[in-house]
Amino acid sequence: MNTLTRRNFLQSSLLSTAAVLGGPSLAVHAATPPKARVVVIGGGYGGTIAAKYLQMSDPEIRVTLIEKDSAYVSCPLSNEVLGGERDLASLTFDYRGLTRRGIAVMQDTVVEIDPVQHFVTGASGNRYNYDKLIVSPGVDYDWAAIEGMSEAVAEKIPHAWKAGKQTQILRRQLEAMEDGGVFYIVAPPNPFRCPPGPYERAAQVAHYFSTHKPKSKIVILDAKDAFSKQALFQAGWEEHYGDMIEWVSGAQGGIIEAIDPETRTLMGSFEEFKGDVINLIPHQKAGALAQTAGLANESGWCPVDQRTFESSIHKDIHVIGDACIAGAMPKSGYSANSQGKVCAAAIVAAINGEAAPAPSYVNTCYSIIAPEHGISVAGVYRLEDGRIVDIPGAGGVSPADADARTRALEQQFALDWFRNITSDMFT
Amino acid sequence: MPRPTWSRALCVGLLIGTFPSLPLHAEEIRSESMLANTCAGCHGTLGASAGEVMPTIGGLDKGYLVEVLTDYKTGRRPSTIMGRIMLGYGDQEINAIASFYAAQPWVSTDRVAVADQLAEAPALHERYCESCHQDGGRSQDKESPRMAGQWAGYLQYAMQACRDGERCHPRKMRNRVADLSDAEIAALAHFYESQK
Ligand SMILES: Cc1cc2nc3c(=O)[nH]c(=O)nc-3n(C[C@H](O)[C@H](O)[C@H](O)COP(=O)(O)OP(=O)(O)OC[C@H]3O[C@@H](n4cnc5c(N)ncnc54)[C@H](O)[C@@H]3O)c2cc1C
């Protein structure tokens, strides 16, 4: 498309359908031209933070956040919805807090990025010009990796790896399952969003089964031979749920190659598994927009300068959160939060003609194994030769021999983690 | 950006004889806000916590923050996760984080007092706490953090952990809380939470 046709196209879309979430903001109507325009795509764990910290550290920058949905549903704590401990409403947030800060929050789906002319186009037809662009689109799925899987099949065989409707589908299937049934969780290969997630999910569902369907079984069919916080999870499963949870490693035949959704049958490398309920968590890659915009490499993820999160492929476009390749950092909400802040600081520096500051990054992830039993993993990172690396000696997992009080406290901290990280994002 | 080499960093460390207090990795100095903003994911933006056991840290006394963070790092102050995290920072960095949070405005919780939780609290406050935690728990210094407007969940945990011998800061706190019952601790915690 050349510039002329694009301009015509945009003129014809003056009556735009893009909604301004939470009412018009100051920034939209600012009379004086802004120092710079930064557009952030994706209002999740990474994007909200980048937008807010940009606005906080340099209010003269005009910040626009583009999010396709009117509300955000958090994945963290969504396993508790599967366990029946909370509802989705408690995980749902709107963008009014960010609007109040002067960020222009637009409900629109970005369909195209023009890295040369520095603008993005929404499904509404709206065009958003930027000096710097931040992309935090989360993950999408590599459906082809398991034969018989597709987005349509996921309506029946849910992944529940994006919270919302998918979580509800899986919860209803678990509720409808008869006591004595078998629930399969198919866990993906690395790298993927939330490394401890499938194993926390097994614990949460076991918590539900043990009170409602105690004869049922949970089998995790894993593409991997090891997983995050493994020793703590396995000890916790056994302690609280006996032999209800079984883990089959990749080497033991856990790798799933195909599925027949009609008969709910999974084809492994050695055996077939027929389940009453199946949660297939697909192989993952950077969100669709990152793929279409050419920000991902052959790995499916986006290479970036790990100091600034600027794309190694397109100048002035930064990629943060699950979509980016961030050295030793896992794909987690806390990592996305930390990356959003480092990226915002780098962009503020660049706009003000300063060098990118020395970065500091942290990750903290809690998992809830049972109502009074939380565990955690932490990482503290720095940049070394252009790569994010663990600071040796720091971080790590909860001690295996933690006493009851510590475990109960960690469970409370898990909930407080959620309160605070979401207030960091949305207020 | 020029990066001091290892040998230069080493020389500086040897020369001024304060090697342990250099940042853990002397290549680049990380700013106060860069270091401190990583805490906000758990402690709230600018250290104003959204609750409940996670304390508000923005606006606390700098000397207090330095001591507590250092004690987490050395293990002198037992913790679930803070010890593991603080091991990632050098003394200068801890100092920078403390400076950042000490400079933030204190934001009290919006919790109001529930009358029947508090009946005996003012008397307990006067008898056990006021000599250090003056002005309804608003005063603060290196040894006595602000308690007015802090989350009751955290205060309750902190007092219980001290009474039960897990951790006290400073040690003399122990004598003060030693004889308090769970109910009295809860009353005090809610009393301070409701002071703004
Ligand atoms: C079950 C589960 C449990 C988890 N638990 C934890 C936990 O306890 N702790 C933790 O730290 N992490 C946890 N995570 C991981 C966490 O959810 C992700 O790492 C985090 O959401 C990544 O943030 P992000 O910004 O990259 O993506 P997201 O938070 O997914 O945000 C992406 C946003 O971009 C929007 N978007 C995408 N494409 C477009 C487009 N073209 N136009 C406009 N908008 C678009 C999406 O609608 C979405 O709102 C968990 C994940 C799962 C699945």
Side-chain angles (χ1 to χ4, degrees):
Chain A
M1 198 189 274
N2 66 36
T3 337
L4 198 69
T5 39
R6 192 182 293 280
R7 201 168 290 137
N8 290 343
F9 171 68
L10 284 159
Q11 268 161 7
S12 68
S13 69
L14 270 180
L15 288 174
S16 139
T17 51
V20 179
L21 294 173
S25 81
L26 297 172
V28 175
H29 296 296
T32 48
K35 188 190 267 177
R37 296 154 307 176
V38 181
V39 171
V40 183
I41 305 172
Y45 274 81
T48 52
I49 290 296
K52 171 170 157 178
Y53 278 76
L54 273 167
Q55 211 283 331
M56 274 171 43
S57 48
D58 191 343
E60 289 172 41
I61 296 173
R62 180 190 293 173
V63 183
T64 303
L65 175 64
I66 309 175
E67 163 57 47
K68 68 179 163 60
D69 296 323
S70 60
Y72 181 77
V73 187
S74 168
C75 284
L77 291 195
S78 67
N79 284 334
E80 288 224 313
V81 176
L82 300 176
E85 295 288 298
R86 58 166 66 229
D87 57 19
L88 279 176
S90 71
L91 305 180
T92 306
F93 298 85
D94 66 46
Y95 293 94
R96 279 178 298 193
L98 294 181
T99 307
R100 272 196 294 273
R101 284 185 176 269
I103 295 164
V105 185
M106 308 298 292
Q107 188 183 353
D108 204 350
T109 302
V110 174
V111 291
E112 203 191 332
I113 297 174
D114 187 328
V116 179
Q117 299 194 57
H118 284 60
F119 67 84
V120 309
T121 311
S124 64
N126 258 21
R127 162 175 161 164
Y128 308 86
N129 297 308
Y130 67 82
D131 298 305
K132 300 277 183 191
L133 179 67
I134 301 176
V135 185
S136 191
V139 296
D140 266 296
Y141 308 112
D142 180 8
W143 298 113
I146 294 180
E147 202 188 316
M149 249 340 265
S150 67
E151 196 166 352
V153 169
E155 300 283 310
K156 267 184 66 182
I157 310 284
H159 51 74
W161 220 241
K162 290 185 188 177
K165 192 170 148 231
Q166 277 281 317
T167 318
Q168 241 153 9
I169 296 174
L170 183 54
R171 173 67 190 167
R172 292 211 182 102
Q173 292 185 0
L174 293 167
E175 280 172 350
M177 193 185 91
E178 305 233 336
D179 190 11
V182 182
F183 169 47
Y184 283 107
I185 297 174
V186 179
N190 293 323
F192 68 104
R193 152 178 289 187
C194 195
Y199 316 97
E200 181 194 47
R201 174 167 292 179
Q204 286 291 329
V205 174
H207 170 64
Y208 165 65
F209 281 175
S210 58
T211 43
H212 292 83
K213 321 181 177 209
K215 297 201 286 283
S216 309
K217 278 213 63 110
I218 300 168
V219 182
I220 304 169
L221 299 170
D222 211 325
K224 305 177 291 298
D225 292 330
F227 60 88
S228 170
K229 302 185 245 189
Q230 181 166 349
L232 291 174
F233 272 117
Q234 289 179 322
W237 291 341
E238 199 187 326
E239 179 184 331
H240 299 286
Y241 311 114
D243 57 4
M244 184 180 270
I245 301 173
E246 185 192 340
W247 176 65
V248 183
S249 71
Q252 290 167 325
I255 297 171
I256 296 305
E257 289 159 358
I259 181 169
D260 177 355
E262 294 311 317
T263 59
R264 295 189 193 282
T265 306
L266 295 159
M267 268 65 89
S269 26
F270 312 142
E271 288 178 68
E272 293 190 352
F273 307 90
K274 196 168 161 5
D276 295 289
V277 178
I278 297 176
N279 168 215
L280 191 149
I281 304 165
H283 297 219
Q284 292 167 34
K285 57 184 181 182
L289 179 67
Q291 312 289 340
T292 54
L295 291 163
N297 65 17
E298 64 291 345
S299 74
W301 306 98
C302 304
V304 294
D305 172 347
Q306 294 178 18
R307 175 188 290 268
T308 61
F309 294 92
E310 184 170 22
S311 164
S312 326
I313 299 170
H314 290 303
K315 202 175 162 325
D316 294 327
I317 302 180
H318 298 241
V319 186
I320 58 173
D322 289 348
C324 75
I325 299 170
M329 296 183 87
K331 297 191 185 301
S332 74
Y334 208 101
S335 292
N337 174 296
S338 190
Q339 292 159 7
K341 290 166 184 173
V342 170
C343 176
I347 287 179
V348 168
I351 287 170
N352 289 290
E354 293 157 13
S360 173
Y361 330 73
V362 170
N363 174 55
T364 300
C365 279
Y366 286 94
S367 303
I368 302 174
I369 297 186
E372 300 257 289
H373 188 173
I375 57 173
S376 61
V377 61
V380 190
Y381 311 89
R382 69 191 168 90
L383 194 70
E384 194 177 284
D385 300 327
R387 198 173 173 276
I388 298 170
V389 297
D390 270 301
I391 294 182
V397 300
S398 311
D401 58 355
D403 59 16
R405 179 147 156 169
T406 303
R407 292 162 159 202
L409 205 52
E410 289 224 281
Q411 191 256 340
Q412 282 183 295
F413 281 141
L415 305 183
D416 282 2
W417 174 98
F418 179 71
R419 285 195 184 96
N420 277 290
I421 201 163
T422 53
S423 89
D424 205 20
M425 293 162 71
F426 294 105
T427 64
Chain B
M1 186 181 282
R3 287 157 152 243
T5 60
W6 262 112
S7 58
R8 197 170 127 212
L10 205 66
C11 285
V12 173
L14 293 176
L15 272 177
I16 58 179
T18 53
F19 199 62
S21 69
L22 279 175
L24 270 186
H25 305 282
E27 300 99 332
E28 283 191 293
I29 296 193
R30 304 188 287 185
S31 72
E32 284 183 6
S33 61
M34 177 62 79
L35 290 161
N37 282 334
T38 65
C39 313
C42 289
H43 287 279
T45 306
L46 305 180
S49 173
E52 180 86 22
V53 188
M54 211 75 90
T56 284
I57 55 174
L60 286 180
D61 180 77
K62 180 178 170 186
Y64 172 77
L65 286 169
V66 169
E67 271 194 18
V68 165
L69 294 176
T70 307
D71 286 353
Y72 276 134
K73 181 178 170 178
T74 61
R76 197 165 156 233
R77 183 176 168 99
S79 62
T80 56
I81 199 167
M82 282 303 297
R84 281 180 265 158
I85 293 175
M86 292 320 297
L87 281 166
Y89 302 95
D91 296 351
Q92 301 287 1
E93 293 178 323
I94 287 177
N95 200 58
I97 294 169
S99 287
F100 180 89
Y101 282 112
Q104 303 308 318
W106 174 267
V107 181
S108 291
T109 75
D110 50 13
R111 292 275 169 84
V112 290
V114 181
D116 62 337
Q117 281 172 333
L118 300 182
E120 47 180 343
L124 290 168
H125 163 67
E126 268 175 45
R127 176 146 170 229
Y128 292 105
C129 319
E130 199 180 19
S131 60
C132 296
H133 297 280
Q134 289 154 13
D135 191 19
R138 282 174 205 83
S139 73
Q140 60 173 337
D141 58 34
K142 189 173 171 177
E143 295 206 316
S144 323
R146 179 184 171 117
M147 300 199 290
Q150 181 61 279
W151 290 93
Y154 169 73
L155 292 173
Q156 204 165 333
Y157 160 66
M159 283 187 267
Q160 274 171 356
C162 178
R163 181 196 60 191
D164 301 346
E166 281 171 33
R167 67 182 210 197
C168 280
H169 180 92
R171 287 235 176 84
K172 67 181 183 204
M173 255 288 283
R174 182 85 197 274
N175 303 329
R176 298 307 184 119
V177 295
D179 299 329
L180 294 177
S181 67
D182 282 350
E184 287 171 326
I185 285 179
L188 277 170
H190 287 101
F191 167 75
Y192 292 121
E193 181 184 62
S194 68
Q195 306 291 304
K196 307 298 173 193

